[in-house]
Amino acid sequence: MDGRRLGSLIGCAGGLAFVLVSAGGVPGAWWWRALGLVLAGAVLVAIVVSRAPAPPPPDRRALRIYGACVLAMVLAILVGARVLNALGETDLVRLWVVLVVGIHFVPFASAFRQPLFTRLGATMAAIAVAAGAISPWVSWAPYAGAVGGGLALLVFALLGLVRPDV
């Protein structure tokens, strides 16, 4: 499986997990879960039927950037979650995860020569920040932010297959 298809498969799994795990805290949960499943199905179909040529294999520099970003993401999630839990802000942990996952994609744009990663990272970060900003007044905002982050991952996983130039 080429890197584009593998990346879309990983994005699909992560996006669907965000949606399925967090939708229960959002009004209309069944609708959000159904939308997530439909998008995931579209990604899987696109993985199979896409005729886009495989991108060249990543070079060592790209793989180093990838590894460093994934390691930094995992550490940031663990440390941030611990801090938020200690502060009694457990509801914000899911938004912290969306923010960090989004930010970790940004360096991939140059590493893999795919501008789509910048747009994905910015979208996820914006969703997390917006949901966090309204969370003092909207109790389900952290759940909605995680669902929104998951839907963004699913949409960009699909775009990466059908419009990789986006």
Side-chain angles (χ1 to χ4, degrees):
M1 182 177 292
D2 70 65
R4 182 174 293 133
R5 286 175 175 81
L6 180 59
S8 286
L9 183 60
I10 293 168
C12 179
L16 187 58
F18 272 124
V19 172
L20 295 179
V21 168
S22 296
V26 179
W30 67 270
W31 192 90
W32 299 108
R33 286 186 176 121
L35 179 58
L37 290 167
V38 167
L39 286 170
V43 172
L44 295 175
V45 168
I47 287 170
V48 173
V49 303
S50 175
R51 299 291 178 234
D59 59 21
R60 291 182 124 168
R61 176 186 157 276
L63 292 175
R64 280 193 306 273
I65 290 170
Y66 174 80
C69 289
V70 170
L71 178 61
M73 175 190 70
V74 169
L75 292 174
I77 288 171
L78 293 173
V79 170
R82 194 155 202 189
V83 168
L84 288 167
N85 282 323
L87 294 172
E89 298 292 347
T90 55
D91 284 347
L92 296 180
V93 171
R94 66 187 66 241
L95 292 179
W96 175 251
V97 174
V98 172
L99 177 69
V100 172
V101 169
I103 291 170
H104 110 283
F105 284 118
V106 174
F108 293 2
S110 65
F112 298 111
R113 295 175 190 84
Q114 295 290 323
L116 175 133
F117 285 119
T118 300
R119 293 177 184 94
L120 169 59
T123 300
M124 290 184 72
I127 289 168
V129 169
I134 65 168
S135 67
W137 302 280
V138 181
S139 63
W140 46 268
Y143 295 91
V147 169
L151 292 173
L153 259 173
L154 288 162
V155 167
F156 278 91
L158 184 58
L159 284 174
L161 294 165
V162 300
R163 291 280 316 271
D165 58 323
V166 170

